[in-house]
Amino acid sequence: GAGVSQSPRYKVAKRGQDVALRCDPISGHVSLFWYQQALGQGPEFLTYFQNEAQLDKSGLPSDRFFAERPEGSVSTLKIQRTQQEDSAVYLCASNNRGHGQPQHFGDGTRLSIL
Amino acid sequence: GQQLNQSPQSMFIQEGEDVSMNCTSSSIFNTWLWYKQEPGEGPVLLIALYKAGELTSNGRLTAQFGITRKDSFLNISASIPSDVGIYFCAGQNYGGSQGNLIFGKGTKLSVKP
């Protein structure tokens, strides 16, 4: 399909391991967002890219979280030295440039830290 | 992080009933959006509102952008079993590097056939 694609869909890691989550946005979408959704909560903003530039990373909870989008399309969210509180669904969204363009979400990666 | 006040938290209704849920914020937004999320899936956009006072419909769904720009409501008329899911409101502002969504905690809707 032509939607936002995220992989893997599920990831189980032991505490202390590093993980990498991938997002393929809708082709041509300039903006890309990462959100974290804890169980029973709404998504919370992590970081935002416009093309390859990371314009806002104010939502990243610690310096263990790192995101990149080197060629302005695919993005990777990396979490180093994972902790149990990192367990959540990580959602990626993309949209076109311009006010009022709706964000389209992927189905997320469910991360479980043991 | 900041989250909007969304109510009710959950609703159990009979098929055919109308549903109303709302969202409030302490700060103003330029845009209000309503999303629906089903288990194992990402949020899907239902309605987007861009002007204070705007009333917009999408089939059986109707949403309004409050005049104060600090609130919004969503109504679902004549509910059906496939309306089951979690409904989220989200506020959005623009300017500079803004554009990220601020979400409510969701309203979980259950519909009895």
Side-chain angles (χ1 to χ4, degrees):
Chain A
V4 177
S5 178
Q6 292 188 246
S7 61
R9 288 296 316 276
Y10 304 92
K11 176 69 179 177
V12 179
K14 291 183 179 177
R15 189 162 57 96
Q17 287 183 331
D18 298 348
V19 298
L21 314 179
R22 176 187 169 107
C23 173
D24 281 87
I26 292 173
S27 178
H29 276 191
V30 169
S31 301
L32 185 146
F33 301 81
W34 283 98
Y35 293 85
Q36 180 190 59
Q37 186 174 22
L39 192 63
Q41 303 291 314
E44 291 198 12
F45 169 75
L46 293 176
T47 187
Y48 158 59
F49 290 86
Q50 188 169 305
N51 296 306
E52 70 279 2
Q54 188 175 19
L55 298 186
D56 188 346
K57 52 183 180 179
S58 61
L60 296 177
S62 79
D63 58 8
R64 296 185 296 103
F65 286 70
F66 171 76
E68 59 184 6
R69 194 185 185 199
E71 297 177 359
S73 56
V74 171
S75 177
T76 303
L77 176 68
K78 298 178 180 176
I79 309 174
Q80 297 175 324
R81 304 180 304 281
T82 52
Q83 304 292 317
Q84 280 195 314
E85 62 263 27
D86 299 336
S87 296
V89 174
Y90 290 85
L91 294 164
C92 176
S94 70
N95 67 358
N96 258 327
R97 188 197 301 271
H99 291 185
Q101 295 298 318
Q103 292 182 26
H104 299 272
F105 283 82
D107 287 336
T109 294
R110 181 176 294 278
L111 176 64
S112 298
I113 305 300
L114 306 178
Chain B
Q2 179 189 0
Q3 288 204 323
L4 307 179
N5 300 311
Q6 187 171 348
S7 63
Q9 268 191 306
S10 60
M11 303 182 74
F12 297 85
I13 62 169
Q14 200 76 33
E15 181 177 359
E17 290 183 356
D18 296 344
V19 171
S20 185
M21 59 191 79
N22 69 76
C23 206
T24 60
S25 169
S26 57
S27 52
I28 62 175
F29 289 105
N30 294 328
T31 301
W32 281 91
L33 306 103
W34 286 91
Y35 285 84
K36 179 186 178 187
Q37 187 174 31
E38 298 185 40
E41 299 182 4
V44 174
L45 181 67
L46 299 174
I47 291 181
L49 302 155
Y50 301 107
K51 285 174 59 175
E54 178 182 356
L55 184 72
T56 296
S57 292
N58 178 9
R60 294 178 295 105
L61 277 59
T62 302
Q64 184 155 33
F65 189 149
I67 287 290
T68 64
R69 295 166 62 193
K70 292 183 178 182
D71 63 309
S72 177
F73 72 74
L74 174 72
N75 287 342
I76 305 173
S77 63
S79 58
I80 59 178
S82 62
D83 290 334
V84 165
I86 303 177
Y87 292 78
F88 290 99
C89 61
Q92 186 177 31
N93 285 322
Y94 292 96
S97 63
Q98 293 292 315
N100 55 288
L101 301 174
I102 309 296
F103 283 86
K105 291 189 175 184
T107 295
K108 185 175 182 179
L109 179 63
S110 302
V111 179
K112 287 191 296 185

